[in-house]
């Protein structure tokens, strides 16, 4: 697709948007010339108990200096739940803060700011009564229900740190996150609904708690979602609704320092187990709120729908904190795009008159495959801004989204960011920046995105390299929970003095960024970040496996899919017929179904260098059938491994991806 394809700023958006080309230029200037006053001015958008006098401090270290200290608004105090709820009570307390749309069409709830405030205060009191206080971690393992949002804000209210876990995680995944964060309390549900099926969450939570043994939190609150009868352990398990109803509806908010932790979110890296990305209160909230307003051109009364699960950072920043801090109405949808029938999402948009809609390329690509009459049947006339996040969006999907969903009337904003950045970083501000399909366009004010080459030289002008950020921004993660050394090592040592994103990118002559994807061993499957090391560790727990290597291969729908080359004990030739399927299922049970490889190849050996490093580049070529162009294989310890890999791969082509 040609880069010449450009969609200019819509005059009707520029005329009314809170940020237009002129004001964006002013912001950019102010942020770069005079950052501290600029950020203190931006801080006014939050409701502080004590307004800060200092903006950013600390730094990323540099060559020979590995001290990374990041701090924003350090002498300010505030409470995130007050910003999302209390401060709207006087002006719009009876307006809708949250619309919940159940998977079952007739199940809808509308909660005003008053209603949500009431629920949050009650749960906050319940948490306190169960021994949770400032700085304690509370884990949640919930489906897309109102209680999940209430839980996050109730933690914020009392200064507890929420650790939200995606309901698709396996019991082991849940156990490892609870163990690492040493959560004192778990909130889960009887069951979740997904595409007409039920997910036995309580049973899975129980398995996680068993695995934890003495490290299990002493209290578990159980939300009744489907009403299924689930075993309740005396003294440990409590019915959520019973406790909440009995609790007092007022709870004074804790006065938190801007740098006090608000949340931990586990995300995958290229090595080891998922790491607990920690965000603090002031900077994170400011970033979520500012970016939500600027990028979605948020206006009072707007209904905003971000389709992400609350278990990912997108759900945190753009289902909960951004829209609610801005006094908007956020929509929480329990269901899936095509259940009970194709077009469900479009019906939800029409039913609830959604203005801002934020989703992922993988979903757009799946919806494009529906009968065109499905999307054409919807009005979609409430929409004003469309957003995409999570992976590169191909031009075809961008154009379909723009024409079929936005009716060529709504700007499409492709937003690049990460769990670690807290909110959007490179993204077109719709009233100011022309869009090119496939490009995340320009960095937001105060974000100094740079490209560096292999040696760490910063590249000028049109160039391609590794994407780094030069200098901190308020939304940046401050550390990895319990392991600051790993934080420094992961993000700040590859290019000393710079934050390294792990992504590659190209910048065109207009300064627009085109993200090309991860350059480390992180694989992005349908917008879910999966570390190759994590999947390899899961394989290693199977008795038949001696070693494995996991790579990402291009996938039309998912962006990337997982392919695994597995060395089995006793040799590939002697392995039982169904072992490949069994191994894929094993990984699914270990990590969650989303991480089960689509392709498993049993091999007798992996291609390794003489120093024992697996040459993933070769595996990628073999998995994608490009073995004619393997490139330089002279560093292989044993070149004969290639023929045996090709033979195994040919066997797979005959038998099917997982046997
Ligand atoms: C990784 C971060 C950011 C919230 C959702 C994912 C990829 C994200 C884009 C985009 C190309 C993108 C990157 C990034 N990514 N947005 N617009 N274009 N790639 O958060 O799980 O922390 O994943 O997602 O590779 O590093 P995450």
């Amino acid at each position: 697709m040609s880069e010449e394809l450009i969609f200019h700023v819509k005059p009707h958006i520029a005329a009314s948007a809170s940020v237009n080309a002129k004001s964006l230029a002013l912001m950019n200037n102010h942020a770069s010339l005079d950052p501290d006053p600029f950020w203190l001015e931006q801080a006014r958008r939050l409701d502080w108990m004590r307004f800060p006098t200092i903006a950013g401090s600390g730094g990323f270290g540099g060559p020979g200096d590995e001290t990374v200290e990041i701090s924003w608004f350090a002498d300010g105090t505030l409470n995130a739940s007050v910003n999302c709820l209390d401060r709207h009570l006087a002006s719009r307390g009876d307006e809708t803060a949250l619309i919940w749309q159940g998977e079952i069409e007739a199940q809808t709830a509308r909660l005003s700011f008053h209603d949500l405030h009431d629920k949050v205060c009650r749960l906050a009191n319940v948490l306190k009564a169960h021994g949770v206080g400032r700085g304690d971690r509370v884990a949640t393992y919930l489906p897309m229900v109102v209680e999940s949002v209430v839980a996050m804000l109730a933690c914020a209210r009392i200064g507890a740190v929420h650790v939200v876990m995606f309901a698709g995680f396996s019991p082991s995944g849940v156990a490892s996150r609870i163990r690492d964060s040493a959560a004192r309390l778990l909130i889960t549900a009887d069951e979740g609904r997904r595409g007409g099926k039920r997910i036995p969450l309580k049973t899975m939570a129980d398995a996680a708690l068993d695995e934890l043994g003495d490290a299990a939190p002493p209290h578990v609150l159980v939300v009744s979602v489907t009403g299924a009868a689930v075993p309740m352990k005396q003294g440990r398990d409590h019915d959520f609704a019973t406790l909440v109803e009995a609790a007092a509806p007022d709870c004074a908010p804790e006065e938190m320092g801007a740098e006090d932790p608000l949340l931990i979110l586990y995300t995958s890296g290229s090595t080891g187990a998922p790491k607990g990305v920690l965000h603090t209160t002031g900077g994170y909230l400011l970033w979520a709120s500012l970016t939500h307003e600027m990028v979605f051109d948020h206006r009072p009364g707007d209904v905003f729908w971000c389709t992400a699960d609350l278990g990912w950072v997108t759900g945190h920043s753009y289902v909960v904190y951004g829209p609610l801090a801005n006094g908007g109405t956020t929509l929480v949808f329990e269901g899936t795009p095509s259940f009970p029938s194709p077009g469900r999402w479009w019906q939800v948009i029409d039913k609830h008159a959604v203005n801002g809609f934020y989703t992922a390329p993988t979903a757009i690509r799946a919806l494009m495959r529906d009968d065109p009459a499905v999307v054409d049947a919807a009005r979609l006339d409430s929409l004003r801004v469309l957003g995409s996040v999570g992976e590169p969006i191909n031009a075809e999907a961008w154009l379909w989204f723009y024409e079929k969903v936005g009716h060529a009337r709504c700007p499409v904003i492709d937003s690049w960011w990460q769990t670690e950045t807290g909110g959007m970083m490179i993204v077109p501000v719709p009233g100011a920046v022309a869009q090119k399909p496939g490009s995340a366009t320009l960095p937001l004010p105060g974000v100094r995105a740079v490209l560096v080459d292999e040696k760490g030289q910063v590249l000028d002008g049109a160039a391609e390299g590794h994407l780094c950020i030069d200098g901190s921004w308020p939304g940046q993660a401050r550390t990895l929970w319990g392991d600051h050394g790993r934080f420094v090592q992961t993000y700040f040592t590859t290019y000393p003095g710079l934050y390294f994103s792990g992504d590659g990118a190209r910048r065109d002559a207009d300064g627009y960024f085109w993200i090309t994807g991860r350059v480390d061993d992180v694989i992005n499957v349908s917008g879910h970040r999966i570390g190759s090391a994590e999947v390899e560790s899961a394989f290693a727990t199977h008795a038949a496996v001696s070693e494995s290597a996991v790579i990402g291969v291009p996938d039309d729908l998912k962006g990337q899919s997982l392919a695994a080359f597995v060395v089995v004990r006793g040799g590939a030739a002697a392995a039982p017929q169904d072992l490949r399927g069994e191994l894929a299922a094993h990984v699914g049970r270990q990590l969650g179904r989303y991480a089960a490889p689509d392709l498993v190849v049993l091999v007798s050996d992996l291609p390794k260098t003489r120093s024992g490093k697996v040459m993933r580049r070769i595996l990628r070529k073999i998995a994608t059938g490009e073995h004619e162009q393997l490139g330089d294989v002279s560093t292989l310890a044993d070149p004969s491994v290639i023929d045996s890999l090709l033979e195994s791969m040919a066997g797979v082509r005959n038998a099917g991806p997982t046997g």
Side-chain angles (χ1 to χ4, degrees), residues 266-268 277 308 312-315 318 358 361 388-393 413-424 426 438-440 467 499 501-504 514-520 522-524 527-530 560:
Y266 284 83
T267 190
S268 297
V277 171
W312 310 111
V313 71
T314 314
Y318 301 107
Y358 196 23
S388 164
V389 63
E391 41 171 328
I393 179 165
I413 60 103
D414 172 8
S415 56
W416 175 84
W417 58 291
Q418 311 177 291
T419 305
E420 295 86 342
T421 71
M424 299 183 248
I426 303 181
S439 170
L467 178 61
Y499 166 81
S501 66
D503 281 318
W514 302 71
I515 312 295
T516 49
R518 300 291 303 198
V519 293
D520 54 10
V522 170
I523 304 160
N524 189 330
H528 293 170
R529 225 163 112 170
I530 301 172
Q560 282 187 297

Side-chain angles (χ1 to χ4, degrees), residues 118-260:
D118 177 275
K119 285 185 188 291
V120 166
C121 286
R122 285 173 191 270
L123 179 61
N125 285 325
V126 171
L127 295 178
K128 284 207 274 192
H130 287 80
V132 178
R134 282 175 81 105
D136 290 337
R137 276 79 55 212
V138 170
T140 73
Y141 184 43
L142 288 165
M144 292 290 282
V145 291
V146 173
E147 288 82 354
S148 190
V149 176
V150 171
M152 291 165 74
L153 294 173
C155 287
R157 193 154 195 95
I158 62 170
V161 182
H162 54 70
V163 184
V164 179
M165 298 177 294
F166 175 49
F169 290 148
S170 66
S172 301
V174 169
S176 66
R177 285 164 176 87
I178 293 180
R179 186 183 297 111
D180 188 76
S181 63
R184 285 185 67 111
L185 187 137
L186 170 68
I187 308 181
T188 187
D190 52 357
E191 292 182 320
R193 291 193 175 88
R194 192 166 174 85
K197 296 195 198 75
R198 304 252 173 126
I199 301 169
L201 276 179
K202 177 63 164 61
T203 308
M204 289 159 79
D206 283 341
L209 293 164
D210 283 348
E211 191 177 321
L212 283 164
D214 290 345
H219 294 292
V220 178
L221 308 186
V222 184
V223 178
S224 170
V225 172
T226 63
V230 290
M232 298 286 276
K233 188 171 167 186
Q234 266 281 307
R236 184 194 72 180
D237 299 348
H238 314 274
D239 178 56
F240 182 97
T242 310
L243 294 180
V244 165
E245 273 154 34
D250 289 307
C251 175
E254 283 288 319
E255 180 170 357
M256 304 306 291
E259 282 300 332
D260 282 333

Side-chain angles (χ1 to χ4, degrees), residues 39 283-291 421-425 445 447 473-475:
W39 289 116
Y284 170 81
L285 194 62
L286 176 108
W287 200 251
S289 138
L290 175 68
T291 53
T421 71
M424 299 183 248
M425 298 288 280
V447 174
W473 63 99

